[in-house]
Amino acid sequence: MRNNKIAVFIRTHAFTPQVAQLAATLTDGFGSEVTMIVDERSGPIETQGHQKISLTEELVRSWGIASLPKDWGWLCGDFCCYAARAAVPDANWYVLIESDVFVTLSAAQILGSHLSQTEADALACSLGRTDAPKIYSKDLEHLGVTSHCGCIFAVTCIRDHVIDEMLPLRVKAQRTGNYRINDEAVLAGALISNDLSFEDLFHSLPNLFSPNYFETNPPHLYEAMPIAEANQSVVHPTIPLDLILERIKTGEKNYSRHRLRKVLREAPRGIRVQIKAALNAKSSG
């Protein structure tokens, strides 16, 4: 009988109230303790008793990965998979969830149940072949792998042997020519080149994952979760009000009314007034 031990991880660079709530929900939903994979290159991060793996340049280089891109903390989320595999070598499923994902308890339970039944080797949204190469998949062609592939990496469920195929591809990419391929390309490329099976979560769990609520941008308002009209949907990205106001002030992410359109639509009146006031102050400053 196939081992179906599920190990769950949150990828983050800070331990915020949002991350704490996500950890609590996933722990209850999957019935096991969640481990933080934390980028600690700028110093230790307190995770309030949660297990953690410190993601450092020293750890990454121990896997034989050279020529690290400066933005590897953002570009190379697959590094979290290798860290997870090393930390929990007896798991069959490695569930990696980014810190700005919103998940309800019942959604976590449904996903866990699905993993115990599916025969697929990996699951992610939009996982598989694409009509045209994505920007960070193009360099796969230099490695003998199709560049017409990708996924959304914010929620991934990957079997142990898939991670074992991903690592050699990443090592080859960084050693051969310092190619700029991202985590999405590594996962999809490893699956397709090794003829492994996979599921697009948009298709296999459409009640939880919808392109209307799960994408790379624009953001949703964390304080408005769960979404009223789709309260079981897994949502990404979700951003709390304090971070929205900070980014408007600093100009990070170029938050405009258009980019914040979903936030403004979802926000209660009081929060919407605060955001609009911040946008007005920024534009007139």
Side-chain angles (χ1 to χ4, degrees):
M1 183 176 179
R2 176 179 275 188
N3 169 29
N4 270 310
K5 177 180 177 179
I6 301 172
V8 185
F9 304 84
I10 295 175
R11 174 189 179 191
T12 188
H13 62 274
F15 193 83
T16 63
Q18 181 176 353
V19 173
Q21 182 58 57
L22 177 61
T25 300
L26 294 174
T27 296
D28 290 343
F30 283 91
S32 61
E33 183 64 28
V34 172
T35 299
M36 305 289 159
I37 302 182
V38 188
D39 185 343
E40 292 192 316
R41 284 174 292 167
S42 298
I45 294 171
E46 172 57 48
T47 56
Q48 297 182 12
H50 289 279
Q51 303 173 61
K52 74 172 178 179
I53 299 170
S54 178
L55 198 61
T56 63
E57 185 170 317
E58 181 182 14
L59 177 62
V60 172
R61 292 194 183 280
S62 73
W63 303 324
I65 298 176
S67 304
L68 295 175
K70 291 182 179 179
D71 55 353
W72 65 261
W74 166 76
L75 186 75
C76 305
D78 53 303
F79 289 3
C80 295
C81 298
Y82 317 137
R85 180 87 171 97
V88 189
D90 62 335
N92 177 242
W93 279 113
Y94 295 82
V95 177
L96 178 63
I97 299 182
E98 294 181 356
S99 59
D100 56 355
V101 171
F102 175 81
V103 182
T104 64
L105 174 60
S106 59
Q109 291 170 333
I110 292 169
L111 180 57
S113 177
H114 184 73
L115 292 181
S116 69
Q117 300 172 46
T118 182
E119 291 298 318
D121 292 306
L123 301 82
C125 290
S126 293
L127 179 58
R129 296 182 181 272
T130 57
D131 292 335
K134 293 187 175 184
I135 185 171
Y136 292 115
S137 296
K138 291 180 179 178
D139 280 346
L140 283 174
E141 64 186 27
H142 300 296
L143 305 171
V145 178
T146 179
S147 59
H148 291 249
C149 64
C151 67
I152 300 175
F153 206 75
V155 173
T156 56
C157 308
I158 310 173
R159 291 194 189 271
D160 48 357
H161 59 272
V162 177
I163 297 177
D164 294 342
E165 297 295 345
M166 292 166 62
L167 180 54
L169 179 57
R170 170 58 75 183
V171 170
K172 185 178 181 181
Q174 302 308 131
R175 281 184 174 176
T176 304
N178 196 21
Y179 297 124
R180 280 185 64 78
I181 59 174
N182 67 358
D183 36 34
E184 301 171 354
V186 169
L187 172 56
L191 288 165
I192 292 172
S193 62
N194 289 284
D195 198 27
L196 298 171
S197 62
F198 52 85
E199 289 180 10
D200 179 350
L201 286 169
F202 285 147
H203 295 155
S204 58
L205 290 175
N207 292 334
L208 300 188
F209 295 90
S210 164
N212 293 327
Y213 305 110
F214 196 94
E215 51 202 326
T216 55
N217 65 79
H220 295 262
L221 177 66
Y222 176 68
E223 283 81 359
M225 297 297 110
I227 298 290
E229 68 273 19
N231 61 11
Q232 290 306 306
S233 289
V234 180
V235 185
H236 175 267
T238 58
I239 311 295
L241 175 61
D242 58 348
L243 185 56
I244 291 170
L245 296 177
E246 178 185 340
R247 287 179 173 177
I248 292 173
K249 183 177 180 180
T250 62
E252 183 183 354
K253 303 288 186 179
N254 296 315
Y255 276 6
S256 62
R257 276 180 171 79
H258 178 69
R259 188 158 190 180
L260 293 174
R261 59 192 181 277
K262 291 188 175 181
V263 165
L264 291 168
R265 184 169 66 245
E266 296 160 357
R269 184 178 183 279
I271 291 180
R272 188 162 58 249
V273 168
Q274 291 183 67
I275 295 172
K276 286 185 175 180
L279 289 167
N280 289 336
K282 182 66 175 181
S283 63
S284 60

